[in-house]
Amino acid sequence: MDSSKTIYFVFPHRGVGGVSVLFLRLAHALARSKQYSCVLVDYSDGYMAQRAIPELVTVAKYSDNSK
């Protein structure tokens, strides 16, 4: 996989919602295509982070307290 083809989906949100569901589905679909690597940026207890398939996508933990 070409590391220059990394897509970051940034939407830290703890609840379920349209954007979170869409980003999660897109990240999984793109990762399955093997043409992109995908990173989901979310709270550790966020919707996307909790439902991400680790074999497909990477989850970057977001915190309100970090820069």
Side-chain angles (χ1 to χ4, degrees):
M1 189 173 331
D2 185 356
S3 63
S4 66
K5 292 185 176 182
T6 302
I7 300 174
Y8 289 80
F9 293 90
V10 182
F11 193 74
H13 186 64
R14 289 187 173 93
V16 63
V19 173
S20 300
V21 171
L22 178 64
F23 278 9
L24 184 63
R25 288 179 182 172
L26 278 172
H28 286 160
L30 289 169
R32 281 187 185 104
S33 77
K34 306 228 187 263
Q35 294 180 14
Y36 299 94
S37 60
C38 295
V39 178
L40 297 168
V41 180
D42 197 8
Y43 293 109
S44 59
D45 61 345
Y47 179 82
M48 294 187 301
Q50 296 296 312
R51 287 159 184 82
I53 299 172
E55 295 81 19
L56 292 177
V57 298
T58 303
V59 176
K61 306 296 183 188
Y62 176 84
S63 172
D64 292 326
N65 298 324
S66 63
K67 293 182 182 183

